[in-house]
Amino acid sequence: MNTTTTATETRVQILGGIEVIGGSVVLVSTPNARVILDFGMRDLNTGLLQTPGGPRRGHELVDLLRAAELPVSPGLYDPAQLASDPQLAASTRANRDARPTAVFLSHAHIDHEGALGFLDPSLPLYASEETTVMLNALRDTGEYRPGHPLAPIAVDTGETIRVGDLTVELIPVDHDIPGACGVLVTAPDGSVVYTGDLNFHRDGGMRSHAFAERIRGVDLLVTETTMLSFDHPPITTRSEAEIEEILAAELTGVPGLVLMSAYPRDAERAQRLIALARTHGRELVWPSRDAALLAAMGVSDVTSWASERAESDSRPLAAGINRVTVAAVAAEPGHYLVQPDGHDAPALADLPIVSGSTVWVHSQGEPLGPFMPDWEVFQLWLQKLGIAVIEAGSTGHALGHDLLAFVEHVAPGCVLPIHGKRPEALTVSMPRVLPRYGDVYLLDGTVVGHELVSVAS
Ligand SMILES: [Zn+2]
Ligand SMILES: [Zn+2]
């Protein structure tokens, strides 16, 4: 008797995130199913859609595809958003795929979730509970998202989701945002892991170490390589205790107002900074945009401005949020720690700044750094007002040596480096494939085909 077995060959494609930090998109498919891991937006600081200018509001998908800033081929986009360009609409229709398809999000950073609103809204979107809370909080507090609103489905730790013959699990990692996960995809012929973004210094790297242990021996590892992009990393690593120590020294040493810039999506750190300010007799005042988001994410004791404060991007505030006036801060500046709006540099001059005494403690809030368009003007205002900058940031990404140790520990059959400018700097003992757009990989890294995708380089 003749028996024929059909081997399922799982295929992996990198649709975004090659030789850039951000814009990650990974597609894993079998003849029966597809999963998309992240659908991020590359930063638009360069290229055809750079600031100022950028894609037109409400027409972002068409503009981004025309500028080759998003993959064009896989027939994944929302047809309603392509109506104004018949050619793009026709190509998306032609590429439609009947296989069950689902999207999994590693974490709620824009370079991973920024383009999700362009996907066909019929595709289910899965994310960790904390990531789901954050996406909903962003939506509910009026954060502009290009494309359609998201309706994420929360996945518990340890829960597996079946998509055709693929099984997907989100596994927590340490990053600088709550709910960050790596993704394990188990297929009939093997397994592939995508790290998302991770590090081994936040909270001692507890989650990331457990993740590394859990995925040991995976067939194919798709890993972030952010910190291998630099000979001299632009940002150091600090423990949360070290960050708090730096801020505490300023809260004690500066008699008047202290300014701070923290990243509001890092809700855990935000909650600790609010408490730290309280222990130093100060109230931490956030711009209304940040305050609304923090409160919606469940952070307590959030304070923002009274409604008369002029903000260029003010948001309605929930009833439980404390309010202060600029006059109250001016009357007792030593009782406050203020987070200025990084996009609103001229508003710094509203505050009771004392030249040569007031400091700005920068801990990964906006403006993020010299690579951001609003950095320079913010620095000009700091200089004009005589405000010194105190660095208190910590990268969310694994340092180079931690990353190399991680990959060696996991010992995958093959590793595919993305989300970094120098993937070739990931020098490891196992087979490594430097990904190229269009290449289709088997789980052992063999290239079995080439499908045209268009992505800005
Ligand atoms: Zn990232
Ligand atoms: Zn990230």
Side-chain angles (χ1 to χ4, degrees):
M1 188 171 68
N2 274 341
T3 47
T4 311
T5 54
T6 312
T8 300
E9 286 190 330
T10 301
R11 292 164 184 233
V12 175
Q13 285 167 268
I14 306 301
L15 304 182
I18 297 179
E19 291 181 21
V20 289
I21 298 172
S24 300
V25 184
V26 180
L27 174 65
V28 182
S29 61
T30 70
N32 306 305
R34 296 187 301 175
V35 296
I36 298 154
L37 312 179
D38 288 352
F39 213 80
M41 186 89 99
R42 194 179 77 84
D43 75 59
L44 296 176
N45 296 333
T46 57
L48 293 170
L49 295 175
Q50 64 186 281
T51 314
R56 291 165 293 175
R57 270 211 174 193
H59 298 274
E60 287 94 343
L61 179 56
V62 165
D63 287 350
L64 287 160
L65 286 173
R66 286 174 176 169
E69 291 283 6
L70 290 170
V72 294
S73 76
L76 298 168
Y77 293 111
D78 179 4
Q81 295 180 51
L82 293 171
S84 67
D85 186 320
Q87 219 176 327
L88 282 174
S91 119
T92 275
R93 270 196 305 275
N95 280 299
R96 288 201 93 75
D97 194 313
R99 286 175 286 181
T101 302
V103 185
F104 291 81
L105 175 62
S106 66
H107 65 289
H109 276 157
I110 292 166
D111 60 320
H112 298 258
E113 53 87 342
L116 287 170
F118 302 134
L119 292 176
D120 190 319
S122 68
L123 301 177
L125 166 64
Y126 296 96
S128 69
E129 171 69 30
E130 286 153 302
T131 299
T132 301
V133 167
M134 191 166 318
L135 292 177
N136 290 339
L138 287 163
R139 180 195 62 209
D140 296 344
T141 58
E143 189 72 13
Y144 180 72
R145 169 179 297 283
H148 59 73
L150 305 181
I153 302 162
V155 181
D156 286 333
T157 304
E159 188 184 354
T160 55
I161 303 294
R162 271 200 86 81
V163 183
D165 54 2
L166 295 171
T167 303
V168 186
E169 184 179 347
L170 297 172
I171 305 173
V173 296
D174 295 290
H175 188 31
D176 54 4
I177 190 163
C181 286
V183 190
L184 166 63
V185 183
T186 308
D189 59 333
S191 52
V192 50
V193 164
Y194 163 57
T195 60
D197 291 347
L198 81 176
N199 69 56
F200 294 85
H201 52 265
R202 179 86 176 238
D203 299 331
M206 193 174 59
R207 298 176 192 85
S208 297
H209 284 296
F211 169 68
E213 204 54 47
R214 174 70 206 288
I215 63 169
R216 272 188 100 162
V218 65
D219 293 300
L220 180 65
L221 176 67
V222 181
T223 184
E224 72 124 315
T225 52
T226 310
M227 295 306 271
L228 295 175
S229 304
F230 315 103
D231 285 328
H232 305 287
I235 180 165
T236 180
T237 56
R238 291 187 177 92
S239 68
E240 294 305 292
E242 286 168 325
I243 291 169
E244 290 182 25
E245 221 171 276
I246 294 169
L247 181 59
E250 302 303 327
L251 295 177
T252 310
V254 176
L257 185 65
V258 174
L259 304 175
M260 179 202 76
S261 183
Y263 182 52
R265 293 194 195 186
D266 191 344
E268 292 167 2
R269 185 182 294 167
Q271 184 73 80
R272 282 198 306 273
L273 296 178
I274 291 168
L276 182 73
R278 286 286 185 206
T279 63
H280 287 80
R282 293 180 187 248
E283 188 163 7
L284 171 44
V285 188
W286 303 87
S288 61
R289 182 184 60 241
D290 295 350
L293 180 66
L294 289 168
M297 289 191 293
V299 173
S300 61
D301 192 21
V302 177
T303 299
S304 187
W305 298 107
S307 53
E308 69 265 22
R309 163 84 156 138
E311 294 183 278
S312 61
D313 184 15
S314 70
R315 304 288 170 91
L317 294 177
I321 296 173
N322 313 316
R323 310 287 192 96
V324 298
T325 60
V326 174
V329 174
E332 292 182 301
H335 288 187
Y336 293 95
L337 167 64
V338 167
Q339 163 129 335
D341 183 343
H343 304 303
D344 228 356
L348 281 169
D350 291 346
L351 300 170
I353 306 292
V354 178
S355 180
S357 172
T358 305
V359 294
W360 179 59
V361 181
H362 187 218
S363 186
Q364 276 145 296
E366 290 187 339
L368 291 173
F371 46 91
M372 298 299 282
D374 44 11
W375 176 260
E376 196 186 332
V377 70
F378 199 83
Q379 298 306 308
L380 289 173
W381 275 97
L382 293 178
Q383 284 159 23
K384 174 182 163 50
L385 297 170
I387 301 168
V389 177
I390 309 289
E391 276 304 333
S394 179
T395 175
H397 299 278
L399 293 179
H401 61 85
D402 283 342
L403 200 58
L404 295 170
F406 158 70
V407 176
E408 292 295 345
H409 182 78
V410 172
C414 179
V415 63
L416 228 150
I418 64 166
H419 196 292
K421 292 179 181 167
R422 296 196 308 196
E424 70 282 3
L426 188 81
T427 48
V428 284
S429 61
M430 73 285 306
R432 179 198 71 184
V433 174
L434 299 181
R436 292 188 315 159
Y437 287 123
D439 281 357
V440 182
Y441 305 99
L442 296 182
L443 294 182
D444 65 0
T446 311
V447 178
V448 287
H450 193 84
E451 287 178 13
L452 181 70
V453 292
S454 176
V455 174
S457 53

